[in-house]
Structures are given as structure tokens and as C-alpha cells.
Amino acid sequence: EIVLTQSPDTLSLSPGERATLSCRASQSVSGYLAWYQQKPGQAPRLLIYDASNRATDIPARISGSGSGTDFTLTISSLEPEDFGVYYCQQRRNWPSYTFGQGTKLEIK
Amino acid sequence: QLVESGGGLVQPGGSLRLSCAASGFTFNNYWMTWVRQAPGKGLEWVANIKQDGSEKDYVDSVKGRFSISRDNVKKSLYLQMNSLRADDTAVYYCARDMAVAGGSYYYYGMDVRGQGTTVTVSS
């Protein structure tokens, strides 16, 4: 099983700052990595699929990069609605998926 | 849009059937997926099913206990859960998965669009 490890566990930043979240895979997942945002009491929202493709209606300030085992989600200038928990997910062995443990992005 | 239903409180060893009603897209062109989230925990993929129902896959922890199915006429996805255990307690979400058209596969992400349904396994 491919294990995804996210870092840091918690990130405390202020609106307007740049956020960088990391996801590392235990073996190569090629470019088959997605990112989700989840707010309390809500379903996860797809942000990025296949490493760098923004999902529908996702703003340009949110971007993804990486390949193989190391991936990054970058939010160039944080807005209040960007806070929440972020998960990475791999589909290297689709149709099965695994998720990372999550990174909490909180307001400083 | 995806609307889940069927959750509730059930005793260990019991059964429950979840449903997911789809609208706003061509249901029979997509694989469909169930994912779950235990209280205070992260996300876990549970199962998915091919657009015509001919292929299914499950996470190891539910194999032999859960069964995924679909009805393309009713545009609905189902999850039959048997021999439920306390560690099956979670919010269950359905999601739109891989698109298939003309024999070709198109991936736009696993899109979780529903609000989820809560399953609690407890005596």
C-alpha cells in the first residue's frame, strides 16, 4: 500500500501570506495526486487533480506541483475562506485510493 | 449534485443500506465511489464501481462485508453494509469518479459533491 505523509501537521498563517503544504508518497505515484480542502461539518472539496490541474471554480491563487514522490500545494495569498484541513490523495493503483493524514491550515 | 441517505444507528453485527441520488450529470458515464470519515479522523476510500456495474473494488477492511451497486435508470448508487463493526462508524460520502466515453477514460478528479450520511455502530 502506498502511504502518503503530509507536512506540517498544522500551519498557522495570516491572511495575505503564502501557504506551502507538502505531501510525500512512500513510492512513486507518478503525477496521480489530488488535493482536497475540508471545513468543519462539510464534505471535502476537490482543489487539484493529477498534481497540477485545478478543479472547476478553483481560483488561480491555488496551485499544485510535483511528481513521483514529492508534491506541493501552494496558496499564493491566503484568503479567509482558505482555512481548513487539507488532504492529499493518490490514485496510482486506481481504482483504489489512499489519502494523507491531513494538514490543518489555521488563522494565526 | 449527489444526495446521500440511509444512515443511522445500528448495533454491531447489523446491516444498513446507504443510497446516493445523482443529478446534474450523465450518471452512466462515470465510475462512482464511496468514501468515509470516522469522527475526528481523516478520509478513507471505501469502494467504487464501474459505470455499467461490471467491476467493483473495495478497501481491504470492508471486503466480504460491504457491497457496492448502482441503478443507472434511477441514477442511484448504493452501499449495502453487513456485519457492521464499531470502526465502521463514520460519515459516508458518495463521489463522482472516472469518466468513460467511447471506451476512453477521462479523469477530472474524484469529486465529492454530497453532504454525507452518518452511520453509527453502537450497542
Side-chain angles (χ1 to χ4, degrees), chain B residues 12-24:
Chain B
S15 298
L16 214 51
R17 189 194 195 207
L18 305 184
S19 299
C20 170
S23 62

Side-chain angles (χ1 to χ4, degrees), chain A residues 67-97:
Chain A
S67 65
T69 60
D70 291 291
F71 297 86
T72 300
L73 180 73
T74 302
I75 306 174
S76 59
S77 178
L78 284 166
E79 298 284 344
E81 61 267 26
D82 294 330
F83 295 93
V85 179
Y86 288 77
Y87 295 94
C88 58
Q89 174 212 47
Q90 66 82 23
R91 69 175 184 102
R92 179 66 180 85
N93 298 320
W94 186 87
S96 67
Y97 294 96

Side-chain angles (χ1 to χ4, degrees), chain B residues 39-60:
Chain B
K41 302 297 184 181
L43 299 166
E44 181 182 40
W45 166 76
V46 175
N48 50 18
I49 185 169
K50 192 176 180 179
Q51 70 274 15
D52 62 4
S54 62
E55 294 182 34
K56 306 172 185 180
D57 199 11
Y58 301 90
V59 67
D60 285 348

Side-chain angles (χ1 to χ4, degrees), chain B residues 12-16 36 44 46 58-68 79-89 92 121:
Chain B
S15 298
L16 214 51
R36 66 184 179 183
E44 181 182 40
V46 175
Y58 301 90
V59 67
D60 285 348
S61 61
V62 308
K63 283 180 180 176
R65 301 188 300 123
F66 289 13
S67 178
I68 189 171
L79 186 67
Q80 177 66 43
M81 304 185 295
N82 300 327
S83 302
L84 282 161
R85 310 184 306 217
D87 62 357
D88 294 316
T89 294
Y92 285 73
V121 184

Side-chain angles (χ1 to χ4, degrees), chain A residues 8-68:
Chain A
D9 289 334
T10 303
L11 188 58
S12 298
L13 294 170
S14 300
E17 289 192 295
R18 181 184 188 91
T20 302
L21 288 68
S22 295
C23 179
R24 175 164 289 180
S26 59
Q27 59 185 275
S28 176
V29 299
S30 188
Y32 301 130
L33 193 104
W35 291 93
Y36 294 81
Q37 176 200 40
Q38 188 177 34
K39 297 180 181 180
Q42 295 185 17
R45 176 193 183 197
L46 176 66
L47 302 175
I48 300 287
Y49 64 94
D50 289 353
S52 60
N53 296 289
R54 271 186 291 273
T56 303
D57 295 330
I58 302 304
R61 68 175 185 278
I62 296 174
S63 62
S65 62
S67 65

